[in-house]
Coordinates of all heavy atoms in Angstrom, one line a residue:
M1 N 0.8 -1.2 -0.1 CA 0.0 0.0 0.0 C 0.9 1.3 0.0 O 1.7 1.4 0.9 CB -0.9 0.0 1.2 CG -1.9 1.1 1.4 SD -3.2 1.0 0.2 CE -3.9 2.6 0.3
H2 N 0.7 2.1 -0.9 CA 1.4 3.4 -1.1 C 0.9 4.4 -0.2 O -0.3 4.5 0.0 CB 1.3 3.8 -2.5 CG 2.3 3.3 -3.5 ND1 2.0 2.1 -4.1 CD2 3.6 3.6 -3.8 CE1 3.1 1.9 -4.9 NE2 4.0 2.7 -4.7
N3 N 1.8 5.2 0.3 CA 1.4 6.5 0.9 C 0.9 7.5 -0.2 O 1.7 7.8 -1.1 CB 2.6 7.0 1.7 CG 2.3 8.4 2.3 OD1 1.8 9.4 1.7 ND2 2.4 8.4 3.6
M4 N -0.4 7.8 0.0 CA -1.0 8.7 -1.1 C -0.3 10.0 -1.4 O 0.0 10.3 -2.5 CB -2.4 9.1 -0.6 CG -3.4 8.0 -0.6 SD -3.9 7.6 -2.3 CE -5.5 6.8 -1.9
K5 N 0.3 10.6 -0.4 CA 0.9 11.9 -0.5 C 2.2 11.8 -1.3 O 2.6 12.5 -2.2 CB 1.2 12.6 0.9 CG 0.2 13.6 1.3 CD 0.6 14.3 2.5 CE -0.4 15.4 2.8 NZ -0.2 16.1 4.2
T6 N 2.9 10.6 -0.9 CA 4.2 10.4 -1.5 C 4.0 10.1 -3.0 O 4.7 10.6 -3.9 CB 4.9 9.3 -0.8 OG1 4.9 9.5 0.5 CG2 6.4 9.1 -1.3
L7 N 3.0 9.3 -3.2 CA 2.7 8.8 -4.5 C 2.3 10.0 -5.4 O 2.7 10.1 -6.6 CB 1.5 7.8 -4.4 CG 1.0 7.2 -5.8 CD1 2.0 6.3 -6.3 CD2 -0.3 6.5 -5.6
R8 N 1.4 10.9 -5.0 CA 1.0 12.0 -5.8 C 2.2 13.0 -6.0 O 2.3 13.5 -7.1 CB -0.1 12.8 -5.1 CG -1.4 12.0 -5.3 CD -2.6 12.7 -4.7 NE -3.8 11.8 -4.7 CZ -4.7 11.8 -3.8 NH1 -4.6 12.5 -2.7 NH2 -5.7 10.9 -3.9
K9 N 3.0 13.1 -5.0 CA 4.2 13.9 -5.2 C 5.0 13.4 -6.3 O 5.7 14.1 -7.1 CB 5.0 14.0 -3.9 CG 5.6 15.3 -3.6 CD 6.2 15.4 -2.3 CE 6.2 16.8 -1.5 NZ 6.7 16.7 -0.2
Q10 N 5.2 12.1 -6.3 CA 6.0 11.5 -7.3 C 5.5 11.6 -8.7 O 6.2 11.9 -9.6 CB 6.1 9.9 -6.9 CG 7.2 9.1 -7.3 CD 7.1 7.6 -7.0 OE1 6.3 7.4 -6.1 NE2 7.9 6.8 -7.5
M11 N 4.1 11.5 -8.8 CA 3.5 11.8 -10.1 C 3.7 13.2 -10.5 O 3.8 13.5 -11.7 CB 2.1 11.5 -10.0 CG 1.7 9.9 -9.9 SD -0.2 9.6 -9.7 CE -0.8 10.3 -11.2
M12 N 3.5 14.1 -9.6 CA 3.8 15.5 -9.9 C 5.0 15.9 -10.4 O 5.3 16.6 -11.4 CB 3.4 16.4 -8.7 CG 1.9 16.5 -8.4 SD 1.6 17.8 -7.1 CE 0.6 16.8 -6.0
T13 N 6.1 15.3 -9.8 CA 7.5 15.5 -10.2 C 7.6 15.0 -11.6 O 8.2 15.6 -12.5 CB 8.5 14.8 -9.3 OG1 8.2 15.2 -7.9 CG2 9.9 15.1 -9.6
L14 N 7.1 13.8 -11.9 CA 7.3 13.1 -13.2 C 6.6 14.0 -14.2 O 7.1 14.2 -15.3 CB 6.6 11.8 -13.2 CG 7.3 10.6 -12.6 CD1 6.4 9.4 -12.4 CD2 8.5 10.2 -13.4
L15 N 5.4 14.5 -14.0 CA 4.6 15.2 -14.9 C 5.1 16.7 -15.1 O 4.7 17.3 -16.1 CB 3.1 15.1 -14.6 CG 2.4 13.8 -14.6 CD1 1.1 13.8 -13.9 CD2 2.3 13.4 -16.2
S16 N 5.9 17.1 -14.2 CA 6.5 18.4 -14.5 C 7.6 18.4 -15.4 O 7.9 19.4 -16.1 CB 7.0 19.0 -13.0 OG 5.9 19.1 -12.1
D17 N 8.2 17.2 -15.4 CA 9.3 17.0 -16.3 C 9.0 16.3 -17.7 O 9.7 16.5 -18.7 CB 10.4 16.2 -15.7 CG 10.9 16.9 -14.4 OD1 10.8 18.1 -14.5 OD2 11.4 16.3 -13.5
N18 N 7.9 15.6 -17.7 CA 7.6 14.7 -18.9 C 6.1 14.8 -19.2 O 5.3 14.9 -18.4 CB 8.0 13.3 -18.6 CG 9.3 13.1 -18.0 OD1 10.3 13.1 -18.6 ND2 9.3 13.0 -16.7
E19 N 5.9 14.6 -20.5 CA 4.5 14.4 -20.9 C 4.3 12.9 -20.9 O 5.1 12.2 -21.6 CB 4.3 14.9 -22.4 CG 2.9 15.0 -22.8 CD 2.7 15.7 -24.1 OE1 3.3 15.1 -25.1 OE2 2.1 16.6 -24.2
M20 N 3.4 12.4 -20.2 CA 3.2 10.9 -20.0 C 1.8 10.5 -20.2 O 0.8 11.2 -19.8 CB 3.7 10.5 -18.6 CG 5.1 10.8 -18.4 SD 5.6 10.5 -16.6 CE 5.8 8.7 -16.7
S21 N 1.6 9.2 -20.7 CA 0.3 8.6 -20.7 C 0.0 8.0 -19.3 O 0.9 7.6 -18.5 CB 0.3 7.5 -21.8 OG 1.0 6.5 -21.5
A22 N -1.3 7.6 -19.1 CA -1.6 6.9 -17.9 C -0.8 5.6 -17.7 O -0.4 5.2 -16.6 CB -3.1 6.7 -17.8
R23 N -0.7 4.9 -18.8 CA 0.1 3.6 -18.8 C 1.5 3.8 -18.3 O 2.1 3.1 -17.6 CB 0.1 3.0 -20.2 CG 0.6 1.6 -20.2 CD 0.4 0.9 -21.5 NE -1.1 0.8 -21.7 CZ -1.6 0.3 -23.0 NH1 -0.6 0.1 -24.0 NH2 -2.8 0.2 -23.3
E24 N 2.2 4.9 -18.8 CA 3.5 5.2 -18.4 C 3.6 5.6 -17.0 O 4.6 5.2 -16.3 CB 4.1 6.4 -19.3 CG 4.4 5.9 -20.8 CD 4.8 7.0 -21.7 OE1 4.3 8.1 -21.4 OE2 5.3 6.8 -22.7
I25 N 2.6 6.4 -16.6 CA 2.7 6.8 -15.2 C 2.5 5.6 -14.2 O 3.2 5.4 -13.2 CB 1.6 7.8 -14.8 CG1 1.7 9.0 -15.7 CG2 1.5 8.1 -13.4 CD1 0.4 10.0 -15.7
S26 N 1.6 4.7 -14.7 CA 1.3 3.5 -13.8 C 2.6 2.6 -13.7 O 2.8 2.2 -12.6 CB 0.1 2.7 -14.4 OG 0.5 1.6 -15.2
A27 N 3.3 2.5 -14.8 CA 4.5 1.7 -14.8 C 5.6 2.4 -13.9 O 6.4 1.8 -13.2 CB 5.0 1.5 -16.1
A28 N 5.7 3.8 -13.9 CA 6.7 4.5 -13.3 C 6.5 4.5 -11.8 O 7.4 4.4 -11.0 CB 6.8 5.9 -13.8
V29 N 5.3 4.7 -11.3 CA 5.0 4.7 -9.9 C 4.5 3.3 -9.3 O 4.4 3.3 -8.0 CB 4.1 5.9 -9.5 CG1 4.7 7.1 -9.9 CG2 2.6 5.6 -10.1
G30 N 4.2 2.4 -10.2 CA 3.8 1.0 -9.6 C 2.4 0.9 -9.1 O 2.2 0.2 -8.1
I31 N 1.5 1.6 -9.7 CA 0.1 1.4 -9.4 C -0.7 1.1 -10.7 O -0.2 1.2 -11.8 CB -0.6 2.7 -8.8 CG1 -0.4 3.9 -9.7 CG2 0.1 3.0 -7.5 CD1 -1.3 5.1 -9.3
G32 N -1.9 0.6 -10.5 CA -2.7 0.2 -11.7 C -3.1 1.4 -12.4 O -3.2 2.5 -12.0
E33 N -3.3 1.2 -13.9 CA -3.6 2.3 -14.7 C -4.9 3.1 -14.3 O -5.0 4.2 -14.4 CB -3.7 1.8 -16.2 CG -3.7 2.8 -17.3 CD -3.8 2.2 -18.6 OE1 -3.1 1.2 -18.9 OE2 -4.5 2.8 -19.5
K34 N -5.9 2.2 -13.9 CA -7.2 2.8 -13.4 C -7.0 3.7 -12.3 O -7.7 4.6 -12.1 CB -8.2 1.6 -13.1 CG -8.9 1.1 -14.2 CD -9.9 0.2 -13.8 CE -10.4 -0.6 -15.1 NZ -11.2 -1.9 -14.8
E35 N -6.1 3.4 -11.3 CA -5.9 4.2 -10.1 C -5.3 5.6 -10.6 O -5.5 6.6 -9.8 CB -5.0 3.6 -9.1 CG -5.5 2.3 -8.5 CD -4.4 1.7 -7.6 OE1 -3.9 2.2 -6.7 OE2 -4.1 0.5 -8.0
V36 N -4.5 5.5 -11.6 CA -3.8 6.8 -12.1 C -4.8 7.9 -12.4 O -4.7 9.0 -11.9 CB -3.0 6.5 -13.4 CG1 -2.5 7.8 -14.0 CG2 -1.8 5.6 -13.1
Y37 N -6.0 7.5 -13.0 CA -7.0 8.5 -13.3 C -7.5 9.3 -12.1 O -7.7 10.6 -12.1 CB -8.1 8.0 -14.1 CG -7.7 7.3 -15.4 CD1 -7.6 5.9 -15.6 CD2 -7.1 8.2 -16.3 CE1 -7.2 5.5 -16.8 CE2 -6.6 7.6 -17.6 CZ -6.7 6.2 -17.8 OH -6.2 5.6 -19.0
G38 N -7.8 8.6 -11.0 CA -8.2 9.2 -9.8 C -7.3 10.1 -9.3 O -7.5 11.2 -8.8
H39 N -5.9 9.7 -9.2 CA -4.9 10.6 -8.7 C -4.8 11.8 -9.6 O -4.5 13.0 -9.1 CB -3.6 9.8 -8.7 CG -3.6 8.8 -7.6 ND1 -3.8 9.1 -6.3 CD2 -3.4 7.5 -7.6 CE1 -3.8 8.0 -5.6 NE2 -3.4 6.9 -6.4
L40 N -4.9 11.7 -10.9 CA -4.7 12.7 -11.8 C -5.7 13.9 -11.7 O -5.4 15.0 -11.5 CB -4.9 12.3 -13.3 CG -3.7 11.6 -14.0 CD1 -4.1 11.2 -15.3 CD2 -2.5 12.5 -14.0
S41 N -7.0 13.5 -11.3 CA -8.1 14.5 -11.1 C -7.8 15.1 -9.8 O -8.0 16.4 -9.6 CB -9.4 13.9 -11.2 OG -9.7 12.9 -10.3
H42 N -7.2 14.4 -8.7 CA -6.9 15.0 -7.5 C -5.7 16.0 -7.7 O -5.8 17.1 -7.2 CB -6.5 14.0 -6.5 CG -6.4 14.5 -5.1 ND1 -5.1 15.1 -4.6 CD2 -7.2 14.6 -4.0 CE1 -5.2 15.4 -3.4 NE2 -6.4 15.2 -3.0
I43 N -4.7 15.6 -8.5 CA -3.5 16.5 -8.7 C -4.0 17.7 -9.4 O -3.6 18.8 -9.1 CB -2.5 15.7 -9.5 CG1 -1.9 14.7 -8.6 CG2 -1.5 16.7 -10.1 CD1 -0.9 13.7 -9.3
A44 N -4.9 17.5 -10.4 CA -5.3 18.7 -11.2 C -6.0 19.8 -10.3 O -5.8 20.9 -10.5 CB -6.3 18.3 -12.3
R45 N -6.7 19.3 -9.3 CA -7.4 20.2 -8.4 C -6.3 20.9 -7.5 O -6.3 22.1 -7.2 CB -8.5 19.6 -7.5 CG -9.7 19.3 -8.2 CD -10.8 19.0 -7.3 NE -10.5 17.8 -6.5 CZ -10.8 16.5 -6.8 NH1 -11.3 16.2 -8.1 NH2 -10.4 15.4 -6.1
S46 N -5.4 20.1 -6.9 CA -4.6 20.6 -5.9 C -3.4 21.5 -6.4 O -2.9 22.4 -5.7 CB -3.9 19.4 -5.0 OG -3.1 18.6 -5.9
I47 N -3.1 21.4 -7.7 CA -2.0 22.3 -8.2 C -2.5 23.7 -8.6 O -1.7 24.5 -8.9 CB -1.2 21.6 -9.4 CG1 -2.1 21.3 -10.5 CG2 -0.5 20.4 -8.9 CD1 -1.4 20.7 -11.7
K48 N -3.8 23.7 -8.7 CA -4.4 25.1 -9.2 C -3.9 26.3 -8.2 O -3.7 27.3 -8.7 CB -5.9 25.0 -9.1 CG -6.5 24.6 -10.4 CD -8.0 24.6 -10.4 CE -8.6 23.9 -11.6 NZ -10.1 23.6 -11.4
S49 N -3.9 25.9 -6.9 CA -3.5 26.9 -5.9 C -2.0 27.3 -6.1 O -1.7 28.3 -5.6 CB -3.7 26.3 -4.5 OG -2.9 25.1 -4.4
Q50 N -1.3 26.5 -6.8 CA 0.1 26.9 -7.1 C 0.4 27.6 -8.4 O 1.3 27.7 -8.9 CB 1.0 25.6 -7.1 CG 0.9 24.8 -5.8 CD 1.6 23.4 -6.0 OE1 2.3 23.1 -6.8 NE2 1.0 22.3 -5.2
G51 N -0.8 27.9 -9.1 CA -0.8 28.5 -10.3 C -0.4 27.6 -11.5 O 0.0 28.1 -12.5
K52 N -0.6 26.3 -11.2 CA -0.1 25.3 -12.4 C -1.3 24.7 -12.8 O -2.4 24.8 -12.2 CB 0.9 24.3 -11.8 CG 2.1 24.8 -11.3 CD 3.0 23.7 -10.7 CE 4.4 24.2 -10.1 NZ 5.0 23.1 -9.4
K53 N -1.2 24.1 -13.9 CA -2.4 23.2 -14.4 C -2.0 22.0 -15.1 O -0.8 21.9 -15.6 CB -3.4 24.1 -15.2 CG -2.8 24.4 -16.6 CD -4.0 25.1 -17.3 CE -3.6 25.3 -18.8 NZ -4.7 26.0 -19.5
L54 N -2.9 21.0 -15.0 CA -2.6 19.7 -15.7 C -3.1 19.8 -17.1 O -4.3 20.0 -17.3 CB -3.3 18.6 -15.0 CG -3.1 17.2 -15.4 CD1 -1.6 16.7 -15.1 CD2 -4.0 16.2 -14.8
V55 N -2.2 19.8 -18.0 CA -2.5 20.0 -19.4 C -2.7 18.6 -20.1 O -1.8 17.7 -19.9 CB -1.4 20.7 -20.2 CG1 -1.8 20.8 -21.8 CG2 -1.2 22.1 -19.6
I56 N -3.8 18.4 -20.7 CA -4.0 17.2 -21.4 C -3.7 17.3 -22.9 O -4.3 18.2 -23.6 CB -5.5 16.7 -21.3 CG1 -6.0 16.6 -19.8 CG2 -5.7 15.3 -21.9 CD1 -7.3 16.3 -19.5
H57 N -2.9 16.4 -23.4 CA -2.6 16.3 -24.8 C -3.6 15.3 -25.3 O -3.6 14.1 -24.9 CB -1.2 15.8 -25.1 CG -0.8 15.7 -26.6 ND1 0.4 16.1 -27.0 CD2 -1.5 15.3 -27.6 CE1 0.4 15.8 -28.3 NE2 -0.7 15.3 -28.6
P58 N -4.6 15.8 -26.0 CA -5.9 14.9 -26.2 C -5.7 13.6 -27.0 O -4.7 13.5 -27.8 CB -6.8 15.9 -26.8 CG -6.0 16.9 -27.6 CD -4.8 17.0 -26.8
S59 N -6.6 12.6 -26.7 CA -6.6 11.4 -27.5 C -6.9 11.8 -29.0 O -7.5 12.8 -29.3 CB -7.9 10.5 -27.0 OG -7.7 10.4 -25.6
E60 N -6.5 10.8 -29.8 CA -6.6 11.0 -31.3 C -7.0 9.6 -31.8 O -6.5 8.7 -31.5 CB -5.2 11.5 -31.8 CG -5.4 12.2 -33.2 CD -4.0 12.5 -33.6 OE1 -3.2 13.2 -32.9 OE2 -3.7 12.3 -34.8
C61 N -8.0 9.8 -32.8 CA -8.5 8.6 -33.5 C -7.4 8.1 -34.5 O -6.9 9.0 -35.4 CB -9.8 8.8 -34.2 SG -10.3 7.5 -35.2
M62 N -7.0 7.0 -34.5 CA -6.0 6.5 -35.5 C -6.7 6.1 -36.8 O -6.0 6.0 -37.8 CB -5.3 5.3 -34.9 CG -4.3 5.6 -33.8 SD -3.3 4.3 -33.3 CE -3.9 3.8 -31.9
G63 N -8.0 6.1 -36.8 CA -8.7 5.8 -38.0 C -8.9 7.0 -38.9 O -8.5 7.1 -40.1
C64 N -9.4 8.1 -38.3 CA -9.6 9.4 -39.2 C -8.9 10.6 -38.7 O -8.9 11.7 -39.4 CB -11.1 9.6 -39.2 SG -11.8 10.2 -37.6
G65 N -8.1 10.5 -37.6 CA -7.4 11.6 -37.1 C -8.2 12.6 -36.2 O -7.6 13.7 -35.8
Y66 N -9.5 12.2 -35.9 CA -10.2 13.1 -35.1 C -9.5 13.3 -33.7 O -9.0 12.3 -33.1 CB -11.6 12.5 -34.9 CG -12.5 13.2 -33.9 CD1 -13.0 14.3 -34.3 CD2 -12.7 12.8 -32.6 CE1 -13.9 15.1 -33.3 CE2 -13.5 13.4 -31.6 CZ -14.1 14.6 -32.1 OH -14.8 15.3 -31.2
V67 N -9.4 14.5 -33.2 CA -8.8 14.8 -31.9 C -9.9 15.2 -30.9 O -10.8 16.0 -31.2 CB -7.9 16.0 -32.1 CG1 -7.2 16.4 -30.8 CG2 -6.8 15.7 -33.1
F68 N -9.9 14.6 -29.8 CA -10.9 14.7 -28.7 C -10.5 16.0 -27.9 O -10.3 15.8 -26.6 CB -10.9 13.4 -27.8 CG -11.5 12.2 -28.6 CD1 -10.7 11.6 -29.5 CD2 -12.7 11.8 -28.4 CE1 -11.1 10.5 -30.2 CE2 -13.2 10.6 -29.0 CZ -12.4 10.0 -29.9
E69 N -10.5 17.1 -28.4 CA -10.0 18.3 -27.8 C -10.9 18.8 -26.6 O -10.4 19.3 -25.6 CB -10.0 19.4 -28.8 CG -8.6 19.4 -29.4 CD -8.5 20.5 -30.6 OE1 -9.3 21.4 -30.6 OE2 -7.7 20.4 -31.3
K70 N -12.2 18.5 -26.7 CA -13.2 19.0 -25.7 C -13.4 18.0 -24.5 O -14.1 18.4 -23.6 CB -14.4 19.4 -26.3 CG -14.2 20.6 -27.2 CD -15.6 21.2 -27.7 CE -15.4 22.5 -28.4 NZ -16.1 22.4 -29.7
R71 N -12.8 16.9 -24.7 CA -13.0 15.9 -23.6 C -12.3 16.4 -22.2 O -11.1 16.7 -22.3 CB -12.3 14.6 -24.0 CG -12.7 13.4 -23.1 CD -12.1 12.1 -23.7 NE -12.2 11.0 -22.8 CZ -13.3 10.2 -22.7 NH1 -14.4 10.5 -23.5 NH2 -13.4 9.2 -21.9
K72 N -13.2 16.3 -21.3 CA -12.7 16.8 -19.9 C -12.2 15.6 -19.0 O -11.4 15.8 -18.1 CB -13.9 17.4 -19.2 CG -14.3 18.8 -19.7 CD -13.6 19.9 -19.1 CE -13.7 21.2 -19.7 NZ -14.8 21.5 -20.6
R73 N -12.7 14.4 -19.4 CA -12.3 13.3 -18.6 C -10.9 12.9 -18.9 O -10.5 13.1 -20.0 CB -13.3 12.1 -18.8 CG -14.6 12.4 -18.2 CD -15.6 11.3 -18.7 NE -15.3 10.1 -18.3 CZ -15.9 8.9 -18.7 NH1 -16.8 8.9 -19.6 NH2 -15.5 7.7 -18.3
F74 N -10.3 12.2 -17.9 CA -8.9 11.8 -18.1 C -8.7 10.5 -18.9 O -7.7 10.2 -19.5 CB -8.2 11.7 -16.7 CG -8.1 13.1 -16.1 CD1 -8.8 13.3 -14.9 CD2 -7.1 14.0 -16.6 CE1 -8.7 14.6 -14.3 CE2 -7.0 15.2 -15.9 CZ -7.8 15.5 -14.9
T75 N -9.8 9.7 -18.8 CA -9.7 8.4 -19.5 C -9.6 8.5 -21.1 O -10.1 9.4 -21.6 CB -10.8 7.4 -19.0 OG1 -12.0 8.1 -19.3 CG2 -10.7 7.1 -17.5
R76 N -9.2 7.4 -21.6 CA -9.2 7.3 -23.1 C -10.6 7.0 -23.6 O -11.3 6.2 -23.0 CB -8.2 6.3 -23.5 CG -8.1 6.1 -25.0 CD -7.2 5.1 -25.4 NE -7.6 3.8 -24.9 CZ -7.6 2.6 -25.7 NH1 -7.1 2.7 -26.8 NH2 -8.1 1.5 -25.2
P77 N -11.1 7.8 -24.6 CA -12.4 7.4 -25.1 C -12.4 6.1 -25.8 O -11.3 5.6 -26.3 CB -12.6 8.6 -26.2 CG -11.4 9.2 -26.3 CD -10.4 8.8 -25.3
G78 N -13.6 5.4 -25.7 CA -13.7 4.0 -26.2 C -13.7 4.0 -27.7 O -13.3 3.1 -28.4
R79 N -14.4 5.0 -28.3 CA -14.7 4.9 -29.7 C -14.8 6.3 -30.3 O -15.2 7.3 -29.6 CB -16.2 4.3 -29.8 CG -16.4 3.7 -31.1 CD -17.4 2.5 -30.9 NE -18.8 3.1 -31.0 CZ -19.7 2.6 -31.8 NH1 -19.5 1.6 -32.5 NH2 -20.9 3.1 -31.8
C80 N -14.4 6.4 -31.5 CA -14.5 7.6 -32.3 C -15.9 8.0 -32.7 O -16.6 7.1 -33.3 CB -13.6 7.6 -33.5 SG -13.7 9.0 -34.6
P81 N -16.4 9.2 -32.4 CA -17.7 9.6 -32.8 C -17.9 9.8 -34.3 O -19.0 9.8 -34.8 CB -18.0 10.9 -32.1 CG -16.6 11.5 -31.9 CD -15.6 10.3 -31.7
I82 N -16.9 10.0 -35.0 CA -16.9 10.2 -36.4 C -16.8 8.9 -37.3 O -17.7 8.6 -38.0 CB -15.7 11.1 -37.0 CG1 -15.6 12.4 -36.0 CG2 -15.8 11.5 -38.4 CD1 -16.8 13.3 -36.0
C83 N -15.8 8.2 -37.1 CA -15.8 7.0 -38.0 C -15.9 5.6 -37.2 O -15.9 4.6 -37.7 CB -14.3 7.0 -38.6 SG -13.0 6.5 -37.4
K84 N -16.2 5.8 -35.9 CA -16.6 4.6 -35.0 C -15.4 3.7 -34.8 O -15.6 2.6 -34.3 CB -17.8 3.8 -35.6 CG -18.9 4.7 -36.1 CD -19.5 5.4 -34.8 CE -20.8 6.2 -35.4 NZ -21.1 7.3 -34.5
S85 N -14.1 4.1 -35.1 CA -13.0 3.3 -34.9 C -12.8 3.2 -33.4 O -13.0 4.1 -32.6 CB -11.8 3.8 -35.6 OG -10.6 3.2 -35.1
E86 N -12.3 2.0 -33.0 CA -11.9 1.9 -31.6 C -10.4 2.0 -31.3 O -9.9 1.7 -30.3 CB -12.5 0.5 -31.0 CG -14.0 0.5 -30.8 CD -14.6 -0.7 -30.5 OE1 -13.8 -1.6 -30.1 OE2 -15.9 -0.8 -30.6
H87 N -9.7 2.3 -32.4 CA -8.2 2.5 -32.3 C -8.0 4.0 -31.9 O -8.0 4.9 -32.8 CB -7.6 2.1 -33.5 CG -7.7 0.7 -34.0 ND1 -7.0 -0.3 -33.3 CD2 -8.5 0.1 -34.8 CE1 -7.4 -1.4 -33.8 NE2 -8.3 -1.3 -34.7
I88 N -7.9 4.2 -30.6 CA -7.7 5.6 -30.2 C -6.4 5.7 -29.5 O -6.1 4.9 -28.6 CB -8.9 5.9 -29.1 CG1 -10.3 5.6 -29.7 CG2 -8.8 7.4 -28.8 CD1 -10.9 6.4 -30.8
K89 N -5.7 6.8 -29.7 CA -4.3 6.9 -29.1 C -4.7 7.4 -27.6 O -5.6 8.2 -27.4 CB -3.6 8.0 -29.8 CG -2.7 7.5 -30.9 CD -1.8 8.7 -31.3 CE -1.4 8.5 -32.7 NZ -0.9 9.8 -33.3
H90 N -3.8 7.0 -26.8 CA -4.0 7.3 -25.3 C -3.6 8.9 -25.2 O -2.8 9.3 -25.8 CB -3.0 6.7 -24.4 CG -3.5 5.2 -24.2 ND1 -4.2 5.0 -23.0 CD2 -3.4 4.1 -24.9 CE1 -4.5 3.7 -23.0 NE2 -4.0 3.1 -24.1
P91 N -4.4 9.6 -24.4 CA -4.0 10.9 -24.1 C -2.7 11.0 -23.2 O -2.3 10.1 -22.6 CB -5.2 11.5 -23.3 CG -5.8 10.3 -22.7 CD -5.6 9.1 -23.6
F92 N -2.1 12.1 -23.3 CA -0.9 12.4 -22.5 C -1.1 13.6 -21.5 O -1.9 14.5 -22.0 CB 0.4 12.7 -23.4 CG 0.9 11.5 -24.1 CD1 0.3 11.1 -25.3 CD2 2.0 10.7 -23.6 CE1 0.8 10.0 -25.9 CE2 2.5 9.6 -24.2 CZ 1.9 9.2 -25.4
Y93 N -0.4 13.6 -20.4 CA -0.5 14.6 -19.4 C 0.7 15.3 -19.0 O 1.7 14.6 -19.1 CB -1.3 14.0 -18.2 CG -2.3 13.1 -18.4 CD1 -2.1 11.7 -18.6 CD2 -3.6 13.6 -18.6 CE1 -3.1 10.8 -18.9 CE2 -4.7 12.7 -19.0 CZ -4.5 11.3 -19.1 OH -5.4 10.6 -19.4
R94 N 0.6 16.5 -18.7 CA 1.8 17.2 -18.3 C 1.3 18.4 -17.3 O 0.3 18.9 -17.5 CB 2.5 17.8 -19.6 CG 3.7 18.5 -19.2 CD 4.3 19.1 -20.5 NE 5.8 19.5 -20.0 CZ 6.8 18.9 -20.4 NH1 6.9 18.0 -21.3 NH2 8.0 19.4 -20.0
I95 N 2.3 18.7 -16.5 CA 2.0 19.8 -15.5 C 2.7 21.1 -16.0 O 3.9 20.9 -16.3 CB 2.4 19.5 -14.1 CG1 1.4 18.4 -13.5 CG2 2.3 20.7 -13.3 CD1 1.8 17.9 -12.1
Q96 N 2.0 22.1 -16.2 CA 2.6 23.4 -16.7 C 2.4 24.5 -15.7 O 1.2 24.6 -15.1 CB 2.1 23.8 -18.0 CG 2.9 23.1 -19.2 CD 2.4 23.4 -20.4 OE1 1.3 24.0 -20.7 NE2 3.0 22.9 -21.5
Ligands
LIG101 ZN1 -12.2 8.3 -36.2

């Protein structure tokens, strides 16, 4: 069981230096990919007071190139609304 504060701090340090996908974050800090999303939304809220923000490099459809720019959720979309392809690139996150 990880200490939450330490874990989030570790994620914040990583994301300040690199643009990473949830999968990369999960591998780097040793938690499940699904858990990463919960921590990301917590981090997004807590860094606001420091004048920083969590920037999402949006998911992109590999079928037609559609970019999910307006998506607010951190998870990868399941399907493209345009061409219905399920081959969607994972979003990347970074702290700026
Ligand atoms: Zn598409």
Side-chain angles (χ1 to χ4, degrees):
M1 181 74 191
H2 275 90
N3 178 302
M4 289 282 204
K5 266 191 175 167
T6 312
L7 181 68
R8 286 184 187 141
K9 217 174 210 176
Q10 210 181 343
M11 285 176 65
M12 285 188 229
T13 307
L14 283 168
L15 290 169
S16 299
D17 297 333
N18 316 278
E19 193 176 59
M20 297 173 83
S21 69
R23 191 175 290 175
E24 289 168 336
I25 297 166
S26 101
V29 300
I31 59 171
E33 197 177 320
K34 278 184 187 163
E35 291 173 67
V36 170
Y37 299 114
H39 291 301
L40 280 176
S41 57
H42 187 277
I43 288 170
R45 285 194 301 272
S46 68
I47 60 175
K48 269 186 195 165
S49 60
Q50 303 164 29
K52 295 178 186 170
K53 71 176 188 178
L54 186 70
V55 179
I56 306 175
H57 181 140
S59 305
E60 197 181 314
C61 173
M62 289 190 251
C64 71
Y66 175 76
V67 180
F68 294 76
E69 274 174 15
K70 291 195 176 126
R71 190 175 171 86
K72 292 264 169 24
R73 291 169 61 192
F74 292 109
T75 53
R76 182 179 65 136
R79 202 152 87 126
C80 176
I82 309 299
C83 74
K84 315 296 179 202
S85 166
E86 288 175 12
H87 297 285
I88 313 285
K89 271 191 211 163
H90 283 265
F92 285 84
Y93 314 95
R94 183 183 190 109
I95 291 174
Q96 275 177 354

